[in-house]
Amino acid sequence: MITAQDAPRRENLFTAIAGYISGHAWLPSEWHHLGWLAVAGLVAVQQIDLRRTIVKALRSPGILFAGLFLTWMTLRSVSNAAFATPHPIEEMMRGLIGIALLILLVILLWEISDDVAMIRRIGKVSGAITATAAAASIILYNFVLTGHILGERLSNIFVHGGQNPVCAGLIFGFNGLWLCQNLENEPQQRSKTLLWIAATVLHCATFLTGSRGAMLSLLVGHLVLCFVRGWRRGWPVMVMFTVVASTYLIAARNFVGASRGTSLAGEVISRGDNGRFEIYAAGWKSLVESDAFIIGIGEWGTGPKWAQHLPPDPSGLMHHLHSVIISTGVHGGL
């Protein structure tokens, strides 16, 4: 447990983790984002008693299974990348650096895993920062920048010059739900009011992205939160979610750009699976072609193996397998 007397180490851990989590919403590229984790994370990890942390981790079955999984995916990907790509060294270096950063993040998170106050603080600060990005994106896209119309799917203007609406929706929704979890633990009324405003903004932004996955995830998250807390403690944030969701569903059909004159319900249905079943089929065909149901095709440099089975993709959105379960099965096998 991190003690109150250990202020410098606490602040370094907070800076590394909160900056990385909120960085999904405000750092402009992966270079800035991963660079933050590398620099701030290395500063923080130098002040951690790694021997104690490792001993603590080895007592956790979850960490052991995660380590075995990561080891398998690494070995499978290294063996594949060595033969499947024109530039195997570069591909392996990218993968290994990614794994090193993932391990660094896990160490940092594990170090604060029993510090409830720190976790709540990270959630509040990350939520507030993400809410500013969401609010600014709503204002700029709908009322300031030219070439945009009211009702188009919201992106995050600060990331990649306009983040994919699905990614933006999931990030806004995640932070909004986390703020809802932290609201009842905030002792100061002024701070609590500001967190309520931030949570509401993030919920509005989540729906404005038009991401069905983000909306459904937010709904399920609220149902779980209400179930765990009980209705007496959970009803205020559930009411907020219901009001935001209902307002969006009623008002969206009147937006100028709400999908070429069709109603919101019609637009949601017309999107169908957005080509996902074709992507899943391409992943399956790559397993059949490689006879790799048990060991998978590997993760690094294997995009062309399944992408060759895709139909024409003028949108350029079919560059990953669009499912954690499908992706793990294709890359890592059963």
Side-chain angles (χ1 to χ4, degrees), residues 113-316:
S113 61
D114 54 3
D115 190 337
V116 176
M118 171 74 82
I119 295 172
R120 287 176 178 168
R121 182 186 173 199
I122 291 171
K124 293 172 185 177
V125 171
S126 298
I129 291 174
T130 304
T132 61
S137 296
I138 292 172
I139 294 170
L140 291 172
Y141 277 128
N142 288 289
F143 306 107
V144 177
L145 298 177
T146 59
H148 298 276
I149 54 178
L150 186 66
E152 69 178 67
R153 297 180 66 182
L154 179 69
S155 299
N156 183 351
I157 196 170
F158 295 101
V159 181
H160 304 307
Q163 191 177 37
N164 181 282
V166 175
C167 297
L170 291 170
I171 292 166
F172 293 154
F174 168 82
N175 283 277
L177 187 67
W178 198 1
L179 280 181
C180 288
Q181 190 272 332
N182 279 316
L183 278 170
E184 70 173 4
N185 302 309
E186 180 55 48
Q188 299 181 0
Q189 186 57 45
R190 181 180 178 183
S191 298
K192 193 169 188 175
T193 300
L194 292 175
L195 292 180
W196 263 108
I197 294 172
T200 305
V201 167
L202 287 169
H203 279 65
C204 293
T206 301
F207 278 88
L208 289 172
T209 63
S211 169
R212 297 168 299 182
M215 297 178 198
L216 291 172
S217 297
L218 198 53
L219 170 62
V220 173
H222 272 285
L223 290 175
V224 171
L225 189 60
C226 190
F227 175 78
V228 170
R229 285 181 166 175
W231 175 248
R232 290 186 178 180
R233 293 170 57 203
W235 73 265
V237 293
M238 178 59 81
V239 168
M240 183 266 285
F241 168 82
T242 303
V243 170
V244 171
S246 301
T247 303
Y248 173 78
L249 294 173
I250 293 171
R253 68 185 65 186
N254 299 314
F255 290 162
V256 174
S259 80
R260 308 176 190 84
T262 63
S263 68
L264 176 66
E267 192 269 344
V268 168
I269 294 172
S270 67
R271 267 194 265 162
D273 65 277
N274 272 7
R276 282 175 173 80
F277 289 122
E278 294 175 318
I279 296 173
Y280 302 158
W284 173 261
K285 289 176 183 178
S286 70
L287 287 175
V288 173
E289 182 180 71
S290 304
D291 194 21
F293 295 101
I294 302 300
I295 64 173
I297 65 173
E299 189 170 8
W300 305 337
T302 56
K305 276 193 173 183
W306 62 266
Q308 64 179 321
H309 301 293
L310 288 172
D313 178 28
S315 66

Side-chain angles (χ1 to χ4, degrees), residues 41-176:
L42 287 174
V43 171
V45 83
Q46 288 181 9
Q47 298 174 315
I48 293 176
D49 184 350
L50 288 178
R51 183 175 180 180
R52 180 184 63 83
T53 299
I54 292 172
V55 170
K56 174 186 171 185
L58 290 176
R59 296 172 182 169
S60 166
I63 289 290
L64 291 176
F65 279 115
L68 289 172
F69 171 73
L70 187 59
T71 300
W72 163 250
M73 293 296 288
T74 303
L75 293 175
R76 181 68 188 96
S77 298
V78 166
S79 65
N80 186 80
F83 305 102
T85 63
H87 306 287
I89 301 300
E90 291 87 341
E91 187 70 21
M92 283 190 284
M93 286 302 299
R94 288 177 65 249
L96 292 172
I97 291 172
I99 287 173
L101 289 173
L102 175 59
I103 293 173
L104 174 62
L105 179 62
V106 170
I107 291 173
L108 297 175
L109 293 174
W110 187 256
E111 184 68 12
I112 67 163
S113 61
D114 54 3
D115 190 337
V116 176
M118 171 74 82
I119 295 172
R120 287 176 178 168
R121 182 186 173 199
I122 291 171
K124 293 172 185 177
V125 171
S126 298
I129 291 174
T130 304
T132 61
S137 296
I138 292 172
I139 294 170
L140 291 172
Y141 277 128
N142 288 289
F143 306 107
V144 177
L145 298 177
T146 59
H148 298 276
I149 54 178
L150 186 66
E152 69 178 67
R153 297 180 66 182
L154 179 69
S155 299
N156 183 351
I157 196 170
F158 295 101
V159 181
H160 304 307
Q163 191 177 37
N164 181 282
V166 175
C167 297
L170 291 170
I171 292 166
F172 293 154
F174 168 82
N175 283 277

